[in-house]
Amino acid sequence: MTNFIAFKDFTFKYDAQAEPTLRDINLSIEKGQKVLIVGPSGSGKSTLGQCLNGIIPNIYHGEKSGSLTIDGKDAFDLSIYDKSHLVSTVLQDPDGQFIGLTVAEDLAFALENDCLVLDEMKGKVDYWADKLDLLDLLEQRPQDLSGGQKQRVSLAGVLIDESPILLFDEPLANLDPKSGQATIDLIDRIHEETGATTIIIEHRLEDVFYRRVDKIILVNDGRILFDGESDQLLQTSLLAENGIREPLYVTVLRDLGLNLDSAQHLSKLSRMDLSQISFNEKASTAQPLPKEKLLEIKNLNFAYELGQPILKDVSLTIHKGERISIVGKNGAGKSTLAKSLCQFIPVEGQILYQGQSIAEDSIKERAERIGYVLQNPNQMISQAMIFDEVALGLRLRGFDEAEIEERVHQTLKTCGLYEFRKWPISALSFGQKKRVTIASILVLNPEIILLDEPTAGQDKRNYTEIMQFLDELNAAGHTIIMITHDMQLMLEYSDRSVVVYDGQILADDSPVNIFNQDDILERANLKKTSLFDLAQQLKADPIALTQYYIKQQGGQHG
């Protein structure tokens, strides 16, 4: 084994910034290792990756000191073309990586650049398409595929180059739980078969631990805080201190009195000795109090193209003050259902608000009842300043400026943004921008707030901040509906889960009950949290253990 990648006293500062993003990095990665890099948003982990793949200094410029070598060569002396033969990158958003009009063209792109002869090119495309189960998709447009299929196409597109280093930048961020698990499986298999040095940058720690990693690197404030084995990191409090969610089972085992300092195999629950830990509580069966009906949809149908229905005879009742998670596999119809509630698309069927049909309502009238917050705040923001963005909806409705100022200031206080009211939006973090988009909806005082993936790609601090804020809005009387792939969010922050499968509602129950139904999880590409695996090892009731976890977290949220 050799130090294939070596950072030595390495510091890097972007030209546009006053302070270095990376400081005094000393790090070595051996040839053939599989390495996980974790860190909160803005920690410098993506900058590390961009130094490796050549985006720095070829696209983003800055000053560096110290050295970075790959296979003995100075990485900053290599052209981006030479670097592309050393490092292949799979981006967080596969759509941003597609070049070809078909899957086959996309796979062939790198080979065309290398002027490979046609027969050899076709042979390589077929070989990698077969390896990644894409042979049936070669003639399809990459954009028409599911999230998991897109991930496999982008992976094949870089593997075809047979580079010695594979870099994955948050590969799980947009995937449903089962597709995320399949992606980790696939990365592991490719790593074993090719022997490539594999580097994964990811927030979803527990999901990556589904398969072994050789070492884990924790980055924050541009510095390396930990470089070692996963088990050793889980024994420390570094994850919590630096805003990374630890595996659920670790949190519960600590609450149940396990001494983590001496625990073995912490990153692999199935190998842990838990003979000293017992849990005997029984599941609570308290029935929730009946709530007032707010929104009813009856026999909803919708198709983008004739004969290809997306929503099929969907009926659903939403009650005042509920927290609902809408879950299901990529492409199941979750976002289409959300758009239908907001009347962004024309649907067949009945939609009743407090018993009255709202079929004839304008989008403006609907927006005052249901506010829709997109996953990416940058797609919602149209003003340069925070105050103007939050005021926009009121100005479009003709409110006078004195009332606008009063309502905007009140909303900014509710959203924890009042001190930034005169700031430009460009100065905000992603999590703060998310709050601005929620504020711009909240100022219209809708009864229902509907959010698409409210925490995708967020570190623990931003995740907790957003979810606690939504809980505060819920306590103030707002009904919260969230589309999510995050099983922990579903478990911890929703009272009820609606499982969408193939344009229909497959299940509508409490999250705990849904986690206890294997057939529904299987069909909807969901997966049990690690609390169910822990319950099995403790020979405990999984529902009771899950309820225990939620109660403990509820105490901390409060």
Side-chain angles (χ1 to χ4, degrees):
M1 299 284 262
T2 57
N3 287 343
F4 191 47
I5 298 168
F7 290 86
K8 191 164 184 207
D9 302 324
F10 183 83
T11 295
F12 178 79
K13 181 181 85 64
Y14 290 99
D15 282 343
Q17 294 189 334
E19 294 293 320
T21 298
L22 297 176
R23 304 163 189 267
D24 302 319
I25 300 289
N26 285 289
L27 170 67
S28 60
I29 296 172
E30 295 170 356
K31 195 175 178 67
Q33 273 191 318
K34 185 174 165 204
V35 177
L36 172 62
I37 300 178
V38 296
S41 301
S43 61
K45 60 186 186 302
S46 290
T47 302
L48 267 180
Q50 288 168 350
C51 289
L52 286 171
N53 65 16
I55 287 177
I56 295 171
N58 294 289
I59 296 172
Y60 298 143
H61 306 295
E63 298 169 23
K64 73 147 178 111
S65 60
S67 66
L68 163 58
T69 57
I70 300 175
D71 200 15
K73 305 182 190 81
D74 188 316
F76 278 61
D77 287 347
L78 296 167
S79 70
I80 202 157
Y81 178 76
D82 290 335
K83 191 73 79 71
S84 73
H85 285 282
L86 271 176
V87 185
S88 289
T89 308
V90 178
L91 300 176
Q92 174 179 344
D93 177 12
D95 286 315
Q97 195 153 353
F98 296 139
I99 304 290
L101 296 176
T102 66
V103 170
E105 279 183 30
D106 202 75
L107 266 56
F109 178 74
L111 308 178
E112 287 173 329
N113 280 344
D114 293 340
C115 302
L116 224 64
V117 296
L118 190 60
D119 283 349
E120 198 177 337
M121 195 187 301
K122 282 182 173 173
K124 277 200 160 199
V125 167
D126 284 346
Y127 173 80
W128 284 107
D130 183 39
K131 267 242 182 282
L132 276 80
D133 197 21
L134 297 170
L135 284 173
D136 294 342
L137 305 176
L138 287 175
E139 297 309 312
Q140 292 200 37
R141 285 183 356 127
Q143 290 80 3
D144 294 339
L145 304 178
S146 74
Q149 289 168 332
K150 285 177 178 178
Q151 199 71 276
R152 296 207 305 274
V153 172
S154 58
L155 182 51
V158 299
L159 285 171
I160 210 160
D161 243 355
E162 298 181 7
S163 307
I165 299 168
L166 295 176
L167 174 65
F168 296 89
D169 189 1
E170 299 212 20
L172 308 181
N174 300 310
L175 295 180
D176 63 53
K178 237 5 193 296
S179 298
Q181 203 170 55
T183 296
I184 290 298
D185 248 338
L186 186 58
I187 292 171
D188 189 63
R189 178 160 63 83
I190 297 300
H191 173 252
E192 291 297 323
E193 289 175 6
T194 63
T197 304
T198 303
I199 300 166
I200 305 167
I201 299 170
E202 184 52 70
H203 281 301
R204 283 162 61 172
L205 194 66
E206 185 173 313
D207 291 335
V208 179
F209 284 166
Y210 177 59
R211 291 288 176 256
R212 197 181 77 84
V213 295
D214 295 309
K215 72 169 175 173
I216 186 167
I217 294 157
L218 173 63
V219 182
N220 201 1
D221 261 345
R223 300 182 190 276
I224 290 177
L225 304 182
F226 182 88
D227 175 359
E229 292 185 1
S230 312
D231 291 344
Q232 294 170 328
L233 178 59
L234 291 174
Q235 287 175 330
T236 72
S237 55
L238 282 169
L239 289 174
E241 288 165 11
N242 290 280
I244 306 296
R245 280 199 272 172
E246 67 184 2
L248 283 176
Y249 65 86
V250 173
T251 308
V252 172
L253 285 171
R254 186 189 292 106
D255 287 341
L256 291 174
L258 181 71
N259 180 3
L260 297 186
D261 295 344
S262 57
Q264 301 289 306
H265 311 300
L266 262 177
S267 64
K268 205 72 188 159
L269 175 59
S270 59
R271 296 184 61 196
M272 291 184 71
D273 175 12
L274 301 176
S275 54
Q276 303 306 305
I277 301 290
S278 65
F279 179 84
N280 301 315
E281 288 184 22
K282 294 285 176 239
S284 152
T285 54
Q287 291 299 308
L289 295 170
K291 291 186 172 180
E292 175 192 336
K293 281 183 188 175
L294 191 59
L295 190 71
E296 290 176 84
I297 60 175
K298 296 181 177 180
N299 312 113
L300 218 60
N301 290 282
F302 175 76
Y304 289 105
E305 291 178 37
L306 206 60
Q308 295 182 21
I310 305 292
L311 298 179
K312 307 167 189 172
D313 200 32
V314 172
S315 295
L316 180 66
T317 301
I318 292 158
H319 302 93
K320 189 176 174 63
E322 284 188 308
R323 299 179 305 164
I324 297 174
S325 52
I326 300 179
V327 297
K329 66 164 72 173
N330 294 98
K334 302 184 298 296
S335 294
T336 305
L337 175 58
K339 287 172 191 166
S340 73
L341 294 178
C342 299
Q343 210 174 322
F344 293 162
I345 52 177
V347 291
E348 291 175 15
Q350 267 191 307
I351 303 182
L352 306 175
Y353 185 85
Q354 292 183 328
Q356 301 294 312
S357 172
I358 52 174
E360 301 304 314
D361 283 10
S362 66
I363 286 183
K364 170 182 166 291
E365 288 168 324
R366 184 70 62 90
E368 287 160 9
R369 294 194 176 108
I370 305 173
Y372 191 19
V373 181
L374 296 176
Q375 178 176 340
N376 183 349
N378 297 319
Q379 292 174 342
M380 289 183 70
I381 290 168
S382 60
Q383 307 296 301
M385 305 300 288
I386 290 173
F387 183 94
D388 294 336
E389 180 63 34
V390 179
L392 183 62
L394 298 175
R395 284 177 175 155
L396 291 173
R397 284 163 175 76
F399 282 80
D400 70 72
E401 209 55 35
E403 186 174 353
I404 288 173
E405 184 170 330
E406 186 184 332
R407 279 177 70 166
V408 169
H409 282 173
Q410 187 54 50
T411 304
L412 289 173
K413 284 172 185 169
T414 302
C415 297
L417 292 167
Y418 184 71
E419 63 190 285
F420 307 119
R421 63 195 177 281
K422 295 180 179 172
W423 280 33
I425 285 171
S426 58
L428 300 183
S429 70
F430 187 91
Q432 289 167 327
K433 283 182 185 175
K434 195 99 176 176
R435 280 180 173 240
V436 170
T437 60
I438 295 170
S440 67
I441 295 294
L442 193 62
V443 78
L444 302 174
N445 201 31
E447 185 88 39
I448 299 169
I449 299 173
L450 201 164
L451 304 103
D452 193 352
E453 290 285 357
T455 58
Q458 298 293 296
D459 61 29
K460 187 186 178 189
R461 186 175 61 82
N462 282 341
Y463 165 94
T464 307
E465 204 176 276
I466 289 167
M467 293 316 300
Q468 289 185 352
F469 171 51
L470 291 178
D471 266 359
E472 286 165 21
L473 295 183
N474 180 245
H478 293 278
T479 301
I480 308 290
I481 305 174
M482 301 165 286
I483 299 170
T484 186
H485 284 141
D486 187 330
M487 297 293 90
Q488 188 171 341
L489 182 153
M490 170 184 163
L491 182 67
E492 228 176 292
Y493 291 97
S494 62
D495 319 303
R496 175 180 164 204
S497 288
V498 175
V499 182
V500 180
Y501 171 77
D502 194 23
Q504 297 174 301
I505 290 177
L506 182 63
D508 180 353
D509 205 338
S510 73
V512 175
N513 288 346
I514 284 170
F515 280 128
N516 212 28
Q517 298 177 63
D518 291 344
D519 57 329
I520 286 170
L521 297 177
E522 184 67 35
R523 288 171 72 192
N525 260 31
L526 307 177
K527 66 181 179 65
K528 289 180 176 175
T529 69
S530 57
L531 299 184
F532 279 73
D533 300 322
L534 176 59
Q536 200 171 5
Q537 278 192 243
L538 295 176
K539 296 183 172 53
D541 178 344
I543 292 180
L545 189 67
T546 304
Q547 287 174 343
Y548 169 81
Y549 168 79
I550 294 168
K551 192 169 73 180
Q552 296 291 106
Q553 293 308 300
Q556 289 173 34
H557 296 165

